[in-house]
Amino acid sequence: MRQIDNLTQACDPKGLTVAQLMQDAPFTCTAKTDALTIGRLMTKQNFGGLPVVAEDGTLVGLVTEYDLLQAMIEGRDLRKVSAADIMTTQPLAVRETMTLEEVANLFQDRYVTRLPVVRERKLVGIVARRDLLHGYMKASQYWS
């Protein structure tokens, strides 16, 4: 759930923080999860990336639609491919305190569509470009 969905008063949209915009409690997988399971989860839940976490919640990677498609193109059996085999290790991540404007610039500069949100290397959420747009529109309806 996003905190921004509970917004009931005016605020400067550019001052919104990642903590207000992010989806908390995102779906995750482990490095051992097979790619077929990841693909099924991503298509069923309609999202384009899945954070990979260690047992203690530390972010260790990110599997995206691109990673799955690449494995498919290569003819790999997704039942035998693990997240560790295809994930981006040490993915770009953001902090909860970053502003909408800072993260929007990061999205544009790095050509990414979603970013894990971490606190002391532990995954606490995920924020997508769409979350920024949603938050901006929600705050703008009250802001003059």
Side-chain angles (χ1 to χ4, degrees):
M1 177 170 192
R2 296 178 290 228
Q3 289 179 12
I4 192 69
D5 291 333
N6 298 322
L7 183 69
T8 58
Q9 60 186 3
C11 69
D12 180 356
K14 290 183 179 179
L16 293 172
T17 65
V18 168
Q20 294 170 293
L21 301 165
M22 71 180 189
Q23 297 283 341
D24 60 1
F27 285 88
T28 63
C29 68
T30 69
K32 294 180 182 181
T33 306
D34 67 86
L36 186 62
T37 300
I38 294 168
R40 285 180 176 154
L41 180 60
M42 286 171 53
T43 55
K44 182 179 181 185
Q45 296 297 325
N46 195 30
F47 44 71
L50 194 64
V52 183
V53 295
E55 201 171 295
D56 67 354
T58 300
L59 179 68
V60 296
L62 183 68
V63 176
T64 65
E65 293 165 320
Y66 177 88
D67 301 319
L68 289 169
L69 288 172
Q70 189 60 43
M72 291 166 47
I73 289 168
E74 293 169 0
R76 298 171 77 181
D77 183 346
L78 297 185
R79 295 172 296 183
K80 297 178 181 176
V81 174
S82 70
D85 296 330
I86 60 172
M87 71 184 183
T88 299
T89 56
Q90 300 178 352
L92 183 62
V94 295
R95 297 177 318 281
E96 298 165 282
T97 55
M98 294 176 75
T99 65
L100 179 147
E101 191 167 17
E102 290 171 321
V103 176
N105 285 325
L106 191 57
F107 279 129
Q108 296 298 90
D109 293 345
R110 298 295 291 269
Y111 302 104
V112 293
T113 57
R114 73 199 53 79
L115 290 167
V117 182
V118 295
R119 182 186 316 128
E120 297 176 12
R121 299 184 50 208
K122 307 275 190 209
L123 182 71
V124 295
I126 195 157
V127 64
R129 289 184 307 189
R130 186 173 296 151
D131 296 323
L132 272 63
L133 184 59
H134 174 77
Y136 189 92
M137 294 299 132
K138 179 88 173 166
S140 294
Q141 73 183 357
Y142 300 109
W143 187 256
S144 320

